[in-house]
Amino acid sequence: MNKVNVCFATLEHPNYMTSSNLTVTEASKRFHIDRSRIYRAFKSGEMSRNPDGTIQLVEFLRVFGDVRQTFANTQNEQSERSREHTESIENNPLYKSKLEQIRLLEESLRQAQEREQWQRGQIEKLTDTIKLLEAPKIQQIRKWMFWRW
C-alpha cells in the first residue's frame, strides 16, 4: 500500500513529497492549508491519522483534493480582484485630485530644497566675506601694539 502511495505522489503530483506520510506541519506548509483546518478534519472524522501522528498523503488528498490547483486558482483570483480594485481606484475623481495634490506638493518641496541650497551658498559666501573683513583689523591692532613698544 505504501508503494502505491509513493508512486501516486511522485507520478501524478511531482511537486509533492515523495514520502507517503506527512506530519501536520509538513502538510500545512506544503499545501498552504492552516493546521487548524487539518485538526478540524481529524476531529470531525473526515480524515484519520496514523498512530505516530502522521497523515497518509492519499488520505490528505482525498479530503482536501488537489490543493495545489486550488491554491493556484486562489492566487489568480486574488490578483484579478486586486487589478480590478486598482483600476476602480484610478478612475475615482477623489483619487485623481489627491494625486494632483501630491504632484503639486512634490514640486513645492523640490523648489524649497533648491531655495534652501541657494541660501546655504549665500550664507557660506557671507561667512567668507566676514572672515576677510575681520582679518585686517586683527593685523592693524598688532601693528599698533608693535609701535607702542
Side-chain angles (χ1 to χ4, degrees):
M1 185 168 169
N2 285 342
K3 240 182 190 178
V4 174
N5 293 343
V6 172
C7 292
F8 176 76
T10 55
L11 292 177
E12 291 190 25
H13 302 285
N15 293 332
Y16 293 160
M17 303 179 97
T18 56
S19 170
S20 62
N21 294 327
L22 305 170
T23 64
V24 173
T25 304
E26 288 173 342
S28 174
K29 288 179 181 177
R30 176 68 72 179
F31 298 106
H32 305 283
I33 293 179
D34 293 334
R35 288 184 331 181
S36 60
R37 186 171 170 204
I38 296 170
Y39 285 117
R40 277 195 308 266
F42 291 143
K43 189 173 182 178
S44 68
E46 283 182 87
M47 185 167 62
S48 62
R49 56 178 145 175
N50 298 332
D52 62 354
T54 59
I55 311 164
Q56 286 188 353
L57 181 61
V58 174
E59 180 77 1
F60 187 85
L61 293 174
R62 179 187 64 79
V63 173
F64 293 106
D66 190 2
V67 289
R68 180 183 55 185
Q69 185 64 32
T70 305
F71 182 68
N73 289 343
T74 304
Q75 284 183 328
N76 290 340
E77 290 172 6
Q78 287 175 348
S79 65
E80 187 175 322
R81 274 187 259 138
S82 175
R83 190 176 27 250
E84 290 171 0
H85 181 68
T86 303
E87 290 173 1
S88 68
I89 288 175
E90 290 175 351
N91 293 331
N92 188 340
L94 180 62
Y95 173 79
K96 289 180 179 181
S97 68
K98 294 293 181 186
L99 199 59
E100 181 63 21
Q101 285 178 345
I102 290 171
R103 190 190 63 73
L104 292 172
L105 288 171
E106 286 174 343
E107 177 64 23
S108 176
L109 177 63
R110 187 188 59 76
Q111 290 174 355
Q113 288 171 338
E114 288 176 359
R115 192 170 41 248
E116 181 184 358
Q117 187 177 4
W118 178 81
Q119 289 172 344
R120 285 181 188 267
Q122 293 298 313
I123 290 171
E124 286 180 25
K125 287 180 186 177
L126 290 173
T127 304
D128 292 342
T129 303
I130 290 171
K131 286 179 183 176
L132 288 175
L133 291 174
E134 289 179 349
K137 289 182 183 178
I138 296 171
Q139 290 175 355
Q140 287 177 354
I141 292 172
R142 286 185 184 163
K143 286 182 184 178
W144 180 76
M145 293 174 92
F146 178 72
W147 285 106
R148 257 184 109 179
W149 286 91

